[in-house]
Amino acid sequence: MRQLFFAVCLLFALSSYAGDKLTIAVASDLRYAMADIVSLFQQQNQLDVRVIYGASGKLSTQIRHGAPYDMFFSADISFAGQLYQDGLAATAPQPYALGHLVLWSPNQNMAGIKLEQLAELDFARLAIAQPAHAPYGQRAKQALQAAGVWQKIEPKIVYGENIAQTAQLAQSGGADIAIIALSLARFPELAGQGYQPISTELHQPLLQAYVITRHGATNTAARQFSAFMTTPQVLSIMQHYGFEQGHFEPPHSGKHSFEQPEAN
C-alpha cells in the first residue's frame, strides 16, 4: 500500500511537471539562437515553452499592459532594467551577451564596405529597424550619424518593425541593403553573401539582458530556464550566432540607472 501511495504521488508529480508552461518574450535578434536554445531545453525538460518575438520596446510595453510573459529577453538592458525598477520584474536584469551590427545585402557581398561609403553607392533603399522601439535600429541610426552619412541617405531609408523583419524586408526586395544583427547574418538562409561588421565605436553598446517578470515570479520553469542560460551548451549556441560572451557589469541600481537613450 505504501509503495502504491508513493507511486501515485510520483505519477502526479510527473504529470504536473509535464503540464508546466513557460512563455518567453524575446527580442528578434535572438530568433534563430533562441529556437536552438529552446529546442535543447525541451529535450532535457518536459515543459511547454512558447516564444513571442518582437522589438524590445514593444515587448516591454506589452508587459506593462499585462501581457502574461514569464520572462523577457531584451536586446537593450535598459528596457529590462526599467521594468525591474518599476516593480514589473521579479529579478534584476541578467546580462547575457553583447550584440553586434553588420552591413548586409541579400544580393551582393558587402564585405569591406564601410558605412562612410554608403553615400557614394548606387542603391535605392537601405533597411534598418525602427529606432523608436528597436535597439538595433537605434544603434544603426547612431552609427550612420557617427559615420557622417545619415542626412545624405535618410531619404533612402526604410524601416522594419524589428531587426528580424528588417532582414526579411531586404530578402523580399523591399531594400537593397540592410543593417541587421550579426546573429541573423550568421543564419544559413541569410549567409549567402558576405557582410561587413560595423564598429562598436560608432554606437552605444548593445548590452542584452533578461528578467523574470512579475507574472513569472512563481513559475518554477522560469527559474529552470534562467539557470539553463548559463550552461556550456547555451553559451556555445550564443557564440555560434556571433553574440559576444564575457563578464558584463550591469548598470548600478540607482534611480536613473536604466533610463532608455533618446531614440532620435
Side-chain angles (χ1 to χ4, degrees), residues 208-247:
Q208 309 196 181
Y210 68 84
V211 292
I212 295 175
T213 66
R214 185 172 64 187
H215 177 273
T218 59
N219 190 334
T220 57
R223 303 285 175 176
Q224 285 178 268
F225 196 83
S226 179
F228 186 67
M229 285 297 299
T230 65
T231 62
Q233 301 101 307
V234 169
L235 297 180
S236 178
I237 290 172
M238 295 293 287
Q239 289 171 353
H240 172 74
Y241 284 99
F243 289 102
E244 184 178 337
Q245 302 294 295
H247 177 70

Coordinates of all heavy atoms in Angstrom, one line a residue, residues 208-247:
Q208 N 22.8 43.2 -23.8 CA 21.5 42.5 -23.7 C 21.3 41.8 -22.4 O 22.2 41.3 -21.8 CB 21.4 41.5 -24.9 CG 21.8 42.2 -26.2 CD 21.3 41.4 -27.4 OE1 21.6 41.9 -28.5 NE2 20.7 40.3 -27.3
A209 N 20.1 41.8 -21.9 CA 19.8 41.2 -20.6 C 18.4 40.6 -20.6 O 17.5 41.0 -21.4 CB 19.9 42.2 -19.5
Y210 N 18.1 39.7 -19.6 CA 16.8 39.2 -19.4 C 16.4 39.3 -18.0 O 17.2 39.5 -17.1 CB 16.7 37.7 -19.9 CG 17.5 36.7 -19.0 CD1 16.9 36.2 -17.9 CD2 18.8 36.3 -19.4 CE1 17.6 35.3 -17.1 CE2 19.5 35.4 -18.6 CZ 18.9 34.9 -17.5 OH 19.6 34.0 -16.7
V211 N 15.1 39.2 -17.8 CA 14.5 39.2 -16.4 C 13.4 38.2 -16.4 O 12.8 37.8 -17.4 CB 13.9 40.6 -16.0 CG1 15.0 41.7 -15.9 CG2 12.8 41.1 -17.1
I212 N 13.1 37.7 -15.2 CA 11.9 37.0 -14.9 C 10.9 38.1 -14.5 O 11.1 38.9 -13.6 CB 12.1 36.0 -13.8 CG1 13.0 34.9 -14.2 CG2 10.7 35.3 -13.4 CD1 13.4 33.9 -13.2
T213 N 9.7 38.1 -15.2 CA 8.8 39.1 -14.9 C 8.0 38.9 -13.6 O 8.1 37.8 -13.0 CB 7.7 39.2 -16.1 OG1 7.0 38.0 -16.1 CG2 8.4 39.4 -17.4
R214 N 7.3 39.9 -13.2 CA 6.4 39.7 -12.0 C 5.4 38.6 -12.3 O 5.1 37.8 -11.4 CB 5.7 41.0 -11.7 CG 4.9 41.0 -10.4 CD 4.4 42.4 -10.1 NE 3.4 42.9 -11.1 CZ 3.0 44.1 -11.1 NH1 3.4 45.0 -10.2 NH2 2.1 44.5 -12.1
H215 N 4.9 38.5 -13.5 CA 3.9 37.4 -13.8 C 4.6 36.0 -13.6 O 3.9 35.1 -13.2 CB 3.4 37.6 -15.3 CG 2.5 36.5 -15.7 ND1 3.0 35.3 -16.3 CD2 1.2 36.4 -15.7 CE1 1.9 34.6 -16.6 NE2 0.8 35.2 -16.2
G216 N 5.9 35.9 -14.0 CA 6.6 34.7 -13.9 C 7.3 34.4 -12.6 O 8.0 33.4 -12.4
A217 N 7.0 35.2 -11.6 CA 7.8 35.1 -10.3 C 7.6 33.8 -9.6 O 8.6 33.3 -9.0 CB 7.3 36.3 -9.4
T218 N 6.5 33.2 -9.7 CA 6.2 31.9 -9.1 C 6.3 30.7 -10.0 O 6.0 29.6 -9.7 CB 4.8 31.9 -8.4 OG1 3.8 32.1 -9.4 CG2 4.8 33.0 -7.3
N219 N 6.7 30.9 -11.2 CA 6.8 29.9 -12.2 C 8.2 29.2 -12.1 O 9.2 29.8 -12.5 CB 6.7 30.5 -13.7 CG 6.5 29.4 -14.7 OD1 7.0 28.3 -14.6 ND2 5.8 29.7 -15.8
T220 N 8.2 28.0 -11.7 CA 9.5 27.3 -11.5 C 10.2 27.0 -12.8 O 11.4 27.0 -12.9 CB 9.3 25.9 -10.8 OG1 8.3 25.1 -11.5 CG2 8.7 26.1 -9.4
A221 N 9.4 26.9 -13.9 CA 10.0 26.7 -15.2 C 10.9 27.9 -15.6 O 11.9 27.8 -16.3 CB 8.9 26.5 -16.2
A222 N 10.5 29.1 -15.2 CA 11.3 30.3 -15.5 C 12.6 30.3 -14.8 O 13.6 30.6 -15.4 CB 10.5 31.6 -15.1
R223 N 12.6 29.8 -13.5 CA 13.9 29.6 -12.8 C 14.8 28.6 -13.5 O 16.0 28.7 -13.6 CB 13.6 29.3 -11.4 CG 12.7 30.2 -10.6 CD 13.4 31.5 -10.2 NE 12.5 32.4 -9.6 CZ 12.9 33.6 -9.1 NH1 14.2 33.9 -9.1 NH2 12.0 34.4 -8.6
Q224 N 14.2 27.5 -14.0 CA 14.9 26.5 -14.6 C 15.5 27.0 -15.9 O 16.7 26.7 -16.2 CB 14.0 25.3 -15.0 CG 13.6 24.4 -13.8 CD 12.7 23.3 -14.3 OE1 11.5 23.4 -14.2 NE2 13.3 22.2 -14.7
F225 N 14.8 27.8 -16.7 CA 15.3 28.3 -17.9 C 16.4 29.3 -17.7 O 17.4 29.4 -18.4 CB 14.2 28.9 -18.7 CG 14.5 29.1 -20.2 CD1 14.4 28.1 -21.1 CD2 15.0 30.4 -20.6 CE1 14.7 28.3 -22.5 CE2 15.3 30.6 -22.0 CZ 15.2 29.5 -22.9
S226 N 16.2 30.1 -16.6 CA 17.3 31.1 -16.3 C 18.6 30.4 -16.0 O 19.6 30.8 -16.4 CB 16.8 31.9 -15.1 OG 17.8 32.8 -14.7
A227 N 18.5 29.3 -15.2 CA 19.7 28.5 -14.9 C 20.3 27.9 -16.1 O 21.5 27.8 -16.3 CB 19.4 27.5 -13.8
F228 N 19.4 27.4 -17.0 CA 19.8 26.8 -18.3 C 20.6 27.7 -19.1 O 21.5 27.3 -19.9 CB 18.6 26.3 -19.0 CG 18.9 25.4 -20.2 CD1 19.5 24.2 -20.1 CD2 18.6 25.9 -21.5 CE1 19.8 23.4 -21.2 CE2 18.9 25.1 -22.6 CZ 19.5 23.9 -22.5
M229 N 20.3 29.0 -19.1 CA 21.0 30.0 -19.9 C 22.5 30.1 -19.6 O 23.3 30.7 -20.4 CB 20.4 31.4 -19.7 CG 19.0 31.6 -20.4 SD 19.1 31.4 -22.3 CE 20.2 32.8 -22.7
T230 N 22.9 29.6 -18.4 CA 24.3 29.7 -18.1 C 25.1 28.5 -18.4 O 26.3 28.4 -18.1 CB 24.5 30.0 -16.6 OG1 24.0 28.9 -15.8 CG2 23.7 31.3 -16.2
T231 N 24.5 27.5 -19.0 CA 25.1 26.2 -19.3 C 26.1 26.3 -20.5 O 25.9 27.2 -21.3 CB 24.1 25.1 -19.5 OG1 23.4 25.4 -20.7 CG2 23.2 24.9 -18.3
P232 N 27.1 25.5 -20.5 CA 28.0 25.5 -21.7 C 27.3 25.3 -23.0 O 27.8 25.9 -24.0 CB 29.0 24.3 -21.4 CG 28.9 24.2 -19.9 CD 27.5 24.5 -19.5
Q233 N 26.3 24.5 -23.1 CA 25.6 24.3 -24.3 C 25.0 25.6 -24.8 O 25.0 25.9 -26.0 CB 24.5 23.2 -24.1 CG 24.9 21.9 -23.7 CD 24.7 21.7 -22.2 OE1 25.1 22.5 -21.4 NE2 24.0 20.6 -21.8
V234 N 24.4 26.3 -23.9 CA 23.7 27.6 -24.4 C 24.8 28.6 -24.8 O 24.7 29.3 -25.8 CB 22.9 28.2 -23.2 CG1 22.4 29.6 -23.6 CG2 21.6 27.3 -23.1
L235 N 25.9 28.7 -24.0 CA 27.0 29.6 -24.3 C 27.6 29.3 -25.7 O 27.9 30.2 -26.5 CB 28.1 29.5 -23.3 CG 27.6 30.0 -21.8 CD1 28.8 29.9 -20.9 CD2 27.1 31.4 -21.9
S236 N 27.6 28.0 -26.0 CA 28.1 27.6 -27.3 C 27.2 28.0 -28.4 O 27.7 28.5 -29.5 CB 28.3 26.1 -27.4 OG 28.7 25.6 -28.6
I237 N 25.9 27.9 -28.2 CA 24.9 28.4 -29.2 C 25.0 29.9 -29.4 O 25.0 30.3 -30.6 CB 23.5 28.0 -28.8 CG1 23.3 26.5 -28.8 CG2 22.4 28.7 -29.6 CD1 22.0 26.0 -28.2
M238 N 25.1 30.6 -28.3 CA 25.2 32.1 -28.4 C 26.5 32.5 -29.2 O 26.4 33.4 -30.1 CB 25.2 32.7 -27.0 CG 23.9 32.5 -26.3 SD 22.5 33.3 -27.0 CE 22.9 35.0 -26.6
Q239 N 27.6 31.8 -28.9 CA 28.8 32.2 -29.6 C 28.7 31.8 -31.1 O 29.2 32.5 -32.0 CB 30.0 31.4 -29.0 CG 30.3 31.9 -27.6 CD 31.3 31.1 -26.9 OE1 31.7 30.0 -27.3 NE2 31.8 31.6 -25.7
H240 N 28.0 30.7 -31.4 CA 27.8 30.3 -32.8 C 27.1 31.4 -33.6 O 27.4 31.6 -34.8 CB 27.0 29.0 -32.9 CG 26.6 28.6 -34.2 ND1 27.5 28.1 -35.2 CD2 25.4 28.6 -34.9 CE1 26.9 27.8 -36.3 NE2 25.6 28.1 -36.1
Y241 N 26.2 32.1 -33.0 CA 25.4 33.1 -33.7 C 26.1 34.5 -33.5 O 25.5 35.5 -33.9 CB 24.0 33.1 -33.2 CG 23.2 32.0 -33.8 CD1 22.9 30.9 -33.0 CD2 22.7 32.1 -35.0 CE1 22.2 29.8 -33.6 CE2 21.9 31.1 -35.6 CZ 21.7 29.9 -34.8 OH 21.0 28.9 -35.4
G242 N 27.3 34.6 -33.0 CA 28.0 35.8 -33.0 C 27.8 36.7 -31.8 O 28.3 37.9 -31.8
F243 N 27.2 36.2 -30.8 CA 27.0 37.0 -29.6 C 28.3 37.0 -28.8 O 28.9 36.0 -28.6 CB 25.8 36.5 -28.8 CG 24.5 36.8 -29.3 CD1 23.8 35.8 -30.0 CD2 23.9 38.1 -29.3 CE1 22.5 36.0 -30.5 CE2 22.7 38.3 -29.8 CZ 22.0 37.3 -30.5
E244 N 28.7 38.2 -28.4 CA 30.0 38.3 -27.6 C 29.7 37.9 -26.2 O 28.7 38.4 -25.5 CB 30.5 39.7 -27.7 CG 31.8 39.9 -27.0 CD 32.3 41.3 -27.1 OE1 31.9 42.0 -28.1 OE2 33.2 41.7 -26.3
Q245 N 30.5 37.0 -25.7 CA 30.3 36.5 -24.3 C 31.4 37.1 -23.4 O 32.4 37.6 -23.9 CB 30.5 35.0 -24.3 CG 29.5 34.2 -25.2 CD 28.0 34.4 -24.7 OE1 27.7 33.9 -23.6 NE2 27.2 35.1 -25.5
G246 N 31.1 37.1 -22.1 CA 32.1 37.6 -21.2 C 31.4 38.0 -19.9 O 30.2 37.8 -19.7
H247 N 32.1 38.7 -19.0 CA 31.5 39.2 -17.8 C 31.1 40.6 -18.0 O 31.9 41.5 -18.3 CB 32.5 39.2 -16.7 CG 32.0 39.7 -15.4 ND1 31.0 39.1 -14.6 CD2 32.3 40.9 -14.7 CE1 30.8 39.8 -13.5 NE2 31.5 40.9 -13.6

